[in-house]
């Protein structure tokens, strides 16, 4: 028997227009004291005020931490936790973009287990369950509402670092597409491109075997039957609606598709993991300070071209999910058409096409390649292996904008 699958998800996922109105009902099942993590922008909205009022009406005491910063600087988590110490929350609610959700995960972790965030860097370092987390995304991209990962910025390290544990998965994910309606086109594009990259990398990830101990030893275990299901759903939804959501932000159906696509992509990569596009973005992001979603999307066509020889069949399925016509096309031709379509879509929504235009210094290409190759948890997921020369060649091709050079 070769069929193998694994998946780890929240106990409850609620999706649809108006679902924000049940936050208080869901929260009441988890306790009576809620620490709410959000940012200044969303804290000033009418929607946020309504959510807080509903929580209080349900007799839930609320402490709001509304100073979440992008990329969650490490020391800001300690500030949030110290503020919450005397309040003694019995749940944490994260409302906002991926950073707000990651802050909520980290706060729940430290309130529950103490210590320093660095004690938990890596996989399976969280010793047990944390305070229940309710995740409410207001952007459609990171998928953090359903993943076992929190990413933070550590000032003692060049690159961002991750904490990966099934214990970080939210108890409930509440996804209301109406909360994304005010998201500007540029952010919609970057977040949506991030989600599409998650889905493509999860679907093309290496198969890591059927060893029963694999999910017990690793958080990210490569593609499987269940992660493939969610990845293809994400690709279909984002392929048909991401461009439309950027062009017509008031289109409710497009907004719903993109948010569902981001959610499904999170369901896929939260177990399958991501690969080389994400590995390269870590050092590129550290040097250029560009948005994570922008960096991974810039890299995706080049990584797909590099992987084409090892994942042409998967790329054919991706192309079909994107709506391409596979009739009278060979697998190789369909794979190339799929890569071209990803490139066309990203160009249409304004994704930067090269590492040079992202601002990566020409004298940092060797360092970027070295650092990317060292992120083993991502590189081992890539369907085609890398050696130093191959990684350096990929970085050069993406810097120059030479897609053909990725065929090595």
């Amino acid at each position: 028997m070769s069929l193998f699958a694994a998946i780890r998800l929240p106990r409850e996922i609620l999706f649809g227009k108006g679902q924000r109105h049940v936050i208080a009902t869901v929260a009441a099942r988890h306790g009576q004291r809620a620490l709410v993590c959000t940012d200044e922008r969303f804290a000033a909205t009418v929607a946020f005020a309504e959510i807080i009022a509903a929580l209080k009406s349900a007799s839930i005491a609320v402490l709001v931490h509304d100073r979440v910063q992008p990329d969650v600087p490490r020391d800001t988590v300690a500030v949030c936790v110290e503020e919450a110490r005397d309040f003694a929350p019995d749940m944490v609610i994260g409302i906002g973009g991926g950073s707000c959700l990651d802050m909520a995960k980290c706060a729940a972790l430290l309130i529950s287990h103490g210590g320093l965030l660095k004690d938990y860097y890596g996989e399976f370092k969280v010793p047990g369950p944390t305070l229940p987390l309710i995740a409410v995304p207001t952007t459609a991209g990171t998928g953090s509402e359903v993943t076992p990962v929190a990413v933070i910025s550590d000032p003692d390290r060049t690159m961002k670092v991750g904490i990966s544990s099934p214990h970080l998965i939210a108890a409930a994910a509440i996804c209301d597409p109406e909360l994304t309606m005010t998201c500007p086109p540029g952010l919609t594009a970057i977040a949506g491109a991030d989600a599409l990259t998650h889905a493509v990398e999860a679907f093309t990830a290496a198969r890591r075997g059927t060893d029963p101990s694999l999910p017990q030893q690793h958080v990210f275990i490569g593609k499987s039957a269940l992660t493939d299901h969610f990845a293809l759903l994400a690709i279909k939804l984002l392929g048909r609606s991401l461009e439309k959501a950027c062009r017509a932000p008031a289109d409710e159906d497009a907004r719903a598709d993109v948010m569902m696509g981001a959610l499904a992509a999170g369901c896929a990569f939260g177990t399958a993991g991501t690969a080389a596009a994400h590995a390269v973005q870590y050092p590129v992001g550290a040097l250029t300070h560009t948005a994570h979603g922008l960096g991974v999307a810039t890299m995706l066509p080049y990584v797909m071209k590099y992987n084409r020889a090892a994942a042409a069949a998967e790329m054919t399925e991706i192309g079909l999910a994107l709506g391409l016509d596979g009739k009278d096309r060979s697998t190789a031709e369909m794979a190339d058409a799929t890569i071209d379509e990803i490139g066309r879509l990203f160009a249409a929504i304004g994704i930067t096409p090269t590492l040079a235009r992202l601002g990566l210094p020409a004298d940092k290409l060797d360092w970027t390649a070295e650092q990317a190759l060292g992120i083993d948890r991502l590189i081992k997921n890539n369907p085609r292996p890398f050696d130093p020369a191959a990684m350096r060649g990929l970085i050069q091709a993406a810097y120059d904008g030479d897609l053909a050079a990725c065929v090595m």
Side-chain angles (χ1 to χ4, degrees), residues 314-405:
E314 286 81 2
M315 291 182 194
T316 295
E317 291 190 69
I318 291 169
L320 294 173
L322 289 171
L324 298 182
D325 184 1
K327 186 178 180 181
D328 298 327
R329 281 176 166 169
S330 68
T331 299
E333 290 170 339
M334 191 65 180
D336 284 336
T338 299
I339 297 167
D340 290 344
E341 173 60 16
I342 294 286
R344 184 210 64 78
L345 173 59
F346 283 175
I349 64 175
I351 297 300
T352 306
T354 69
L355 293 180
R357 288 179 59 179
L358 277 183
L360 183 67
D363 62 356
K364 291 294 185 180
L365 300 189
D366 288 340
W367 181 86
T368 299
E370 179 183 351
Q371 295 300 312
L373 195 62
I375 307 177
D376 184 62
R377 66 183 174 84
L378 299 176
I379 293 301
K380 69 185 179 184
N381 241 11
N382 206 69
R384 183 182 173 193
F386 277 99
D387 59 22
M391 179 58 76
R392 182 61 176 79
L394 175 69
I395 300 297
Q396 187 69 57
Y399 183 86
D400 295 336
D402 185 359
L403 202 62

Side-chain angles (χ1 to χ4, degrees), residues 204-218:
T204 57
R207 293 188 187 275
R208 304 266 290 280
T210 60
D211 185 344
S213 66
L214 182 64
Q216 312 312 315
Q217 297 173 349
H218 300 279

Side-chain angles (χ1 to χ4, degrees), residues 78-159:
V79 171
C80 175
V81 170
E82 185 60 33
E83 289 177 356
R85 193 174 305 282
D86 291 339
F87 179 71
D90 45 28
M91 77 185 87
V92 181
I93 303 175
I95 308 177
S99 293
C100 294
L101 305 189
D102 286 353
M103 168 65 92
K105 291 178 179 180
C106 292
L109 166 60
L110 292 188
I111 291 170
S112 300
H113 297 292
L116 302 173
L117 276 183
K118 67 179 182 181
D119 299 335
Y120 306 103
Y121 292 170
E123 291 188 315
F124 285 120
K125 298 292 181 61
V126 180
T130 70
L131 288 180
L133 170 66
I134 298 172
V136 186
T138 63
T139 61
T142 69
S144 186
E145 64 272 15
V146 294
T147 69
V149 186
V151 179
I152 67 162
S153 300
D154 187 324
D156 298 329
R157 301 188 177 212
T158 304
M159 295 180 287

Side-chain angles (χ1 to χ4, degrees), residues 20 23-24 34-43 45 47-52 55 62 64-68 92-105 133-139 145 174 176 179:
R20 67 188 182 280
I23 293 172
L35 167 64
V36 178
C37 298
T38 192
D39 56 25
E40 289 184 343
R41 184 202 69 80
F42 191 72
T45 65
F48 183 75
E50 291 174 347
I51 291 168
I52 298 302
L55 289 167
V62 176
V64 175
H65 177 85
D66 60 3
R67 301 188 306 283
V68 177
V92 181
I93 303 175
I95 308 177
S99 293
C100 294
L101 305 189
D102 286 353
M103 168 65 92
K105 291 178 179 180
L133 170 66
I134 298 172
V136 186
T138 63
T139 61
E145 64 272 15
I174 300 176
D176 185 340
L179 293 178

